Amino acid sequence: MKLLIMGRPGAGKGTQAVNIREYYNIPHISTGDIFRANLKEKTKLGLLAKEYMDKGQLVPDSLTNDLVKDRLSQADCKNGFLLDGFPRNIAQAQALDEFLKENNEALDAVLDIDVKPEVLIDRIVGRRVCKNCGATYHIKNNPPKQEGICDKCGGELMQRADDTYDTAYSRLKVYDEQTAPLLDYYRGQHLLKSVNGDQDFAKVFEDIKKVLAK
Ligand code: ADP
Ligand code: AMP
């Protein structure tokens, strides 16, 4: 299964990606996670990406497209993948289409997790992530059993540097201006499958399985 997962920042893409990865047995490729891992290692790419991420802006396509192509060329993506956070504009979508065409591959579906903008700021600023295993929590909607500690691995929970009010507003604006046009792009290719992301975590995943089975 070759999938994209789309949705506004905070819609629940990363949360549902974990379920999808396990259920369909496909690698989860998040460009945001790749940039953050690079930043942790202080690579040139990570330090460059940080300048854009801190402002809630998109990292330039020239860096992002090559990174995704390299990742999709790895053996574990041959039978499927779930791309999360890419593409984020039309140029990235065209680069992905070109890459897939060159490799005689095609997407099976583009999932859109639809959440009304009003709840997203709260989801973003309340998000906590495990420093060790990357598991995602929310201080109100999905709190860990023990405050600040990951249920899964006991690691320390942290807040992402870009999960502030100011940056969240910029990211939502960038989504509306640059990423939202992709919904029509993929609707035109008859790939778009929307799911209501403003429901309980488990119900969102039930709906994802249903739309993917159609
Ligand atoms: P994205 O990857 O789309 O930015 P995340 O999956 O990281 O979003 O979710 C953002 C925040 O919202 C997290 O703190 C997560 O726990 C919470 N969240 C995700 N899905 C739901 C949901 N269905 N209901 C309530 N909160 C949710
Ligand atoms: P995310 O983890 O998807 O919320 O992304 C966090 C940040 O990483 C974004 O606000 C961008 O600065 C950067 N980023 C992630 N994916 C992309 C992409 N496909 N294109 C450009 N920038 C990206």
Side-chain angles (χ1 to χ4, degrees):
M1 184 103 72
K2 292 173 180 145
L3 299 175
L4 304 186
I5 188 162
M6 291 190 56
R8 293 183 169 90
K13 300 180 295 294
T15 302
Q16 296 302 333
V18 172
N19 296 329
I20 296 168
R21 177 187 70 197
E22 282 164 14
Y23 189 80
Y24 296 98
N25 196 22
I26 49 177
H28 168 212
I29 301 164
S30 151
T31 41
D33 284 351
I34 295 174
F35 289 135
R36 282 184 289 276
N38 271 273
L39 181 58
K40 207 171 163 187
E41 298 298 322
K42 296 199 169 56
T43 67
K44 206 171 146 198
L45 173 70
L47 295 170
L48 198 58
K50 180 183 180 334
E51 290 178 29
Y52 298 90
M53 293 168 84
D54 282 349
K55 293 187 216 139
Q57 293 171 358
L58 296 187
V59 176
D61 295 345
S62 53
L63 297 174
T64 311
N65 289 345
D66 286 346
L67 181 134
V68 172
K69 286 183 202 169
D70 282 351
R71 182 63 189 89
L72 291 181
S73 304
Q74 291 174 21
D76 64 334
C77 294
K78 272 290 143 260
N79 295 322
F81 53 78
L82 171 65
L83 263 178
D84 164 7
F86 183 95
R88 258 179 155 97
N89 61 28
I90 297 283
Q92 291 184 5
Q94 287 169 339
L96 176 64
D97 276 351
E98 229 169 79
F99 172 84
L100 292 172
K101 207 168 150 196
E102 277 165 20
N103 290 282
N104 293 315
E105 292 176 17
L107 294 172
D108 292 298
V110 175
L111 273 172
D112 172 41
I113 312 290
D114 189 23
V115 176
K116 48 181 186 297
E118 301 90 90
V119 301
L120 293 172
I121 295 290
D122 178 61
R123 281 200 190 180
I124 292 170
V125 298
R127 171 164 47 198
R128 296 292 181 272
V129 183
C130 176
K131 267 187 180 174
N132 181 45
C133 74
T136 300
Y137 297 85
H138 189 279
I139 52 170
K140 285 184 271 178
N141 306 345
N142 179 29
K145 290 195 185 81
Q146 197 184 336
E147 197 185 323
I149 307 289
C150 179
D151 292 349
K152 298 191 175 86
C153 76
E156 189 189 338
L157 301 188
M158 47 94 77
Q159 188 169 20
R160 269 171 50 176
D162 58 347
D163 279 350
T164 59
Y165 282 96
D166 282 354
T167 312
Y169 281 112
S170 317
R171 285 153 65 201
L172 289 169
K173 188 161 176 274
V174 165
Y175 175 91
D176 284 339
E177 290 171 359
Q178 301 194 46
T179 311
L182 292 179
L183 299 178
D184 273 343
Y185 182 87
Y186 288 118
R187 203 174 277 121
Q189 295 187 12
H190 308 289
L191 289 171
L192 192 73
K193 292 173 191 260
S194 278
V195 166
N196 176 11
D198 200 1
Q199 314 180 80
D200 176 75
F201 291 76
K203 180 69 172 70
V204 178
F205 186 50
E206 284 308 310
D207 286 359
I208 288 175
K209 284 189 284 188
K210 264 188 219 154
V211 296
L212 289 181
K214 273 184 196 161

